[in-house]
Amino acid sequence: MSLPWLDRKVFHMARNDRIRRTFTLQFKKDAVALLKEGRSASDVARSLGIARSLLQRWKDQLDRKRPPEVFPAMGNQTPEGQELAELRKKLRRVTEERDILKKALAFFAEDES
């Protein structure tokens, strides 16, 4: 007996179970240093097992910013970035509270009728 819905579910789960790789700041700097030595981006990316576009993005970020500001996702957020993250979190919580209150109001208004 075949269960077609099970096959789709397993396929869907397999597709979304990708592991996100993270790289240290030193690894990124070393990869960009290889580029600056004159090696091609494709060659460096292939030897490190990363996408060429990712390597190019790291190079652009290092060229554009000072070292402490490079790669803010690595815990090097600026004060403005930290404040923005906190405000987004607070907004998300307040929005959820508002939605719950709306549902409660609708429930009790329906009960009175």
Side-chain angles (χ1 to χ4, degrees):
M1 180 168 111
S2 176
L3 301 172
W5 59 270
L6 181 62
D7 294 337
R8 280 195 304 263
K9 187 173 183 178
V10 170
F11 176 73
H12 181 70
M13 287 171 46
R15 237 183 4 186
N16 291 333
D17 286 345
R18 290 189 289 169
I19 297 172
R20 183 180 176 133
R21 298 187 304 170
T22 56
F23 302 96
T24 64
L25 178 60
Q26 189 60 46
F27 180 85
K28 293 175 182 182
K29 287 181 178 179
D30 291 344
V32 172
L34 291 173
L35 274 180
K36 292 184 177 183
E37 289 176 356
R39 291 180 57 187
S40 72
S42 298
D43 182 42
V44 172
R46 191 177 317 107
S47 66
L48 296 176
I50 60 174
R52 188 181 53 79
S53 59
L54 180 61
L55 181 62
Q56 189 61 45
R57 188 177 330 130
W58 292 346
K59 180 185 177 296
D60 293 343
Q61 288 174 341
L62 280 169
D63 289 345
R64 197 172 45 238
K65 297 181 180 178
R66 294 187 307 261
E69 298 171 351
V70 176
F71 313 120
M74 298 294 293
N76 300 326
Q77 283 190 337
T78 63
E80 294 86 12
Q82 290 175 344
E83 182 181 11
L84 181 60
E86 290 171 9
L87 289 172
R88 286 180 175 161
K89 186 176 181 179
K90 188 174 183 178
L91 177 62
R92 187 174 29 245
R93 183 179 51 86
V94 170
T95 302
E96 288 175 6
E97 290 174 359
R98 183 206 59 203
D99 292 344
I100 291 170
L101 290 173
K102 277 183 176 181
K103 290 177 183 178
L105 180 63
F107 175 77
F108 289 118
E110 184 179 291
D111 195 35
E112 289 179 4
S113 299

